[in-house]
Amino acid sequence: VAPDLKFWKDPIPVLVFSCNRAMAVRDHVQKLIKYVFQLYRPSQERFPIIVSQDCDNEDVKKEVMAFGDKVQYIKHLAGDKTNITIPPNHRQYIAYYRIARHYKLALDHVFVDRGYTSVIITEDDLDISPDFFSYFSNTRYLLENDPKLWCVTAWNDNGKVP
């Protein structure tokens, strides 16, 4: 039974960051689809799933494309093929520069190109719980009502079984 979504009815896309872990992205997207279908579908409009890939791993692309119209796929030029300007004293942080570039491109896609007002960000190796969509649906209004609040998170570094 779907919870009462009295707080936020607009679409909230789920942006999945991926690179080169084909099985991880497959398992993660399967779980997203399973939980969203259990609670909110058959409509894909409430939580569209967008997978953003920043590497040239064909296996990842194949796994994502296998979901058909249940998932949107965007591909960026791989970070190692771009001319990112990195200060000489930051060379050890090249991976962070590439990740930051990927975030910028993917978030521009969500907010600028697609015009969404919210996004849920996940990575292909994250585990999610059955109440994932209910949680974000029912906390989204907090962002609208508190100008000092920039995000609602479900991340927990200590979220492991004792």
Side-chain angles (χ1 to χ4, degrees):
V1 174
D4 179 13
L5 299 178
K6 61 184 177 240
F7 295 124
W8 199 258
K9 302 252 187 225
D10 291 344
I12 306 174
V14 179
L15 180 59
V16 179
F17 282 88
S18 67
C19 181
N20 59 6
R21 298 180 288 219
M23 297 302 102
V25 77
R26 183 200 64 208
D27 295 345
H28 185 71
V29 172
Q30 281 177 340
K31 194 171 274 189
L32 288 170
I33 290 170
K34 173 185 171 184
Y35 291 154
V36 81
F37 265 100
Q38 284 177 350
L39 294 175
Y40 302 104
R41 300 253 176 137
S43 168
Q44 296 179 22
E45 287 78 29
R46 182 170 297 279
F47 293 102
I49 299 168
I50 303 167
V51 177
S52 178
Q53 184 184 5
D54 192 40
C55 298
D56 291 331
N57 186 294
E58 279 298 312
D59 291 334
V60 168
K61 180 179 180 179
K62 286 177 191 172
E63 289 294 339
V64 175
M65 300 305 281
F67 290 105
D69 65 355
K70 294 178 184 171
V71 175
Q72 300 169 35
Y73 172 76
I74 56 174
K75 170 73 175 82
H76 309 287
L77 180 64
D80 61 347
K81 294 182 179 164
T82 61
N83 294 321
I84 300 173
T85 303
I86 301 171
N89 61 337
H90 283 198
R91 293 281 180 217
Q92 70 271 26
Y93 304 118
I94 191 166
Y96 295 104
Y97 278 80
R98 290 178 181 163
I99 291 167
R101 177 186 166 275
H102 186 186
Y103 267 73
K104 167 79 167 103
L105 294 170
L107 290 170
D108 275 352
H109 176 80
V110 169
F111 293 120
V112 177
D113 300 343
R114 301 300 307 248
Y116 290 112
T117 60
S118 299
V119 66
I120 298 170
I121 297 172
T122 69
E123 294 179 13
D124 57 14
D125 64 339
L126 294 179
D127 196 13
I128 61 171
S129 66
D131 64 349
F132 178 84
F133 292 103
S134 175
Y135 174 81
F136 285 110
S137 293
N138 289 295
T139 57
R140 171 55 181 88
Y141 79 97
L142 296 169
L143 294 171
E144 204 70 16
N145 293 328
D146 186 345
K148 295 180 282 182
L149 191 62
W150 286 78
C151 73
V152 173
T153 183
W155 179 256
N156 181 353
D157 283 324
N158 301 309
K160 298 184 179 181
V161 177

